[in-house]
Amino acid sequence: GGTKMSERKRTKTQRAILHAAKVLYEKHGVGNVPFDDIAEQAGVCRTTVFNHFADAGELQQAIAVAEIGELIEFGESSKLKGLPLIYALLDKLIDDTANYPRVMARLANATILGGESGRVSEIERLIARHYDLEFRESLARANTTGAMLAQMTMGLYYGQVNHQLAFGLPFETEQMCKQMRTMLDLLLRGVRAGA
């Protein structure tokens, strides 16, 4: 019976470390935060951080996996279906990005270049599934697929993040969500016309 408890404690500690790292990375930049500071912020000792993560790269990878895992969990446990789910998923992704732009931008690059790309493709597949649900018949008539729409949707997200960074614009959840909705409506106009 002891293992269950220690497993839960381990997960809790790991979450605390990941959260602390995210906050500090955002404040000081991803490359500039020693494990000592992360340990202090998380309320654990330095060796505990090393027990969970061998180095900074592994810790950053774990943040990416956790972020993506949370999104997928949200998508799969949601009562929403089709387009409402896709909107909610993007809102959540944008909100995470707005709260941790430096971290998320770094993750976006890391995931594009490989590493945890398996998990990112899970988000894309989830979105594709819900496009298929939403637009069943009209997809073929519009000569597209849920998978292609999902690819374009993720492209819009990455494009938006790059745009904000390139122009030095602030990451504001509400405004970015509204903008994403407008871009998606433009994207889906062709599919709806096919309906």
Side-chain angles (χ1 to χ4, degrees):
T3 47
K4 204 72 186 166
M5 183 57 212
S6 60
E7 189 63 32
R8 216 178 4 247
K9 185 174 186 296
R10 191 175 161 75
T11 309
K12 210 176 153 202
T13 305
Q14 191 154 326
R15 277 211 184 112
I17 294 168
L18 289 177
H19 183 71
K22 232 161 76 165
V23 171
L24 291 172
Y25 284 156
E26 198 50 50
K27 215 156 138 185
H28 306 293
V30 177
N32 308 322
V33 182
F35 270 18
D36 287 352
D37 295 7
I38 293 169
E40 193 181 322
Q41 174 92 13
V44 299
C45 62
R46 186 167 179 268
T47 48
T48 305
V49 180
F50 279 107
N51 286 338
H52 287 268
F53 307 103
D55 55 35
E58 199 175 290
L59 175 55
Q60 287 159 25
Q61 190 94 324
I63 292 176
V65 178
E67 284 291 330
I68 294 164
E70 273 172 36
L71 278 171
I72 292 165
E73 215 172 284
F74 169 79
E76 287 175 345
S77 64
S78 174
K79 303 255 182 294
L80 298 171
K81 291 207 179 340
L83 210 47
L85 178 95
I86 293 166
Y87 285 150
L89 204 58
L90 286 167
D91 284 352
K92 189 166 166 38
L93 182 58
I94 290 168
D95 189 47
D96 285 348
T97 306
N99 287 319
Y100 301 101
R102 290 166 87 161
V103 175
M104 292 296 279
R106 183 77 176 250
L107 298 182
N109 285 332
T111 48
I112 287 169
L113 300 173
E116 273 311 313
S117 51
R119 301 295 325 248
V120 172
S121 64
E122 276 181 63
I123 294 182
E124 205 170 296
R125 276 198 293 271
L126 183 68
I127 291 174
R129 218 161 53 230
H130 285 273
Y131 273 132
D132 285 331
L133 273 174
E134 181 76 30
F135 294 116
R136 271 190 207 98
E137 293 77 27
S138 43
L139 286 171
R141 281 202 291 277
N143 198 18
T144 188
T145 60
M148 192 185 284
L149 284 179
Q151 180 189 331
M152 289 191 277
T153 301
M154 288 309 287
L156 287 179
Y157 163 73
Y158 288 126
Q160 187 183 44
V161 171
N162 284 334
H163 175 81
Q164 301 297 114
L165 291 169
F167 288 86
L169 300 170
F171 281 74
E172 287 163 4
T173 301
E174 214 169 307
Q175 219 237 308
M176 286 174 72
C177 287
K178 213 183 277 172
Q179 193 185 26
M180 177 58 69
R181 197 72 40 110
T182 305
M183 293 193 290
L184 266 185
D185 285 341
L186 283 169
L187 172 68
L188 298 174
R189 200 171 282 174
V191 183
R192 291 198 174 105

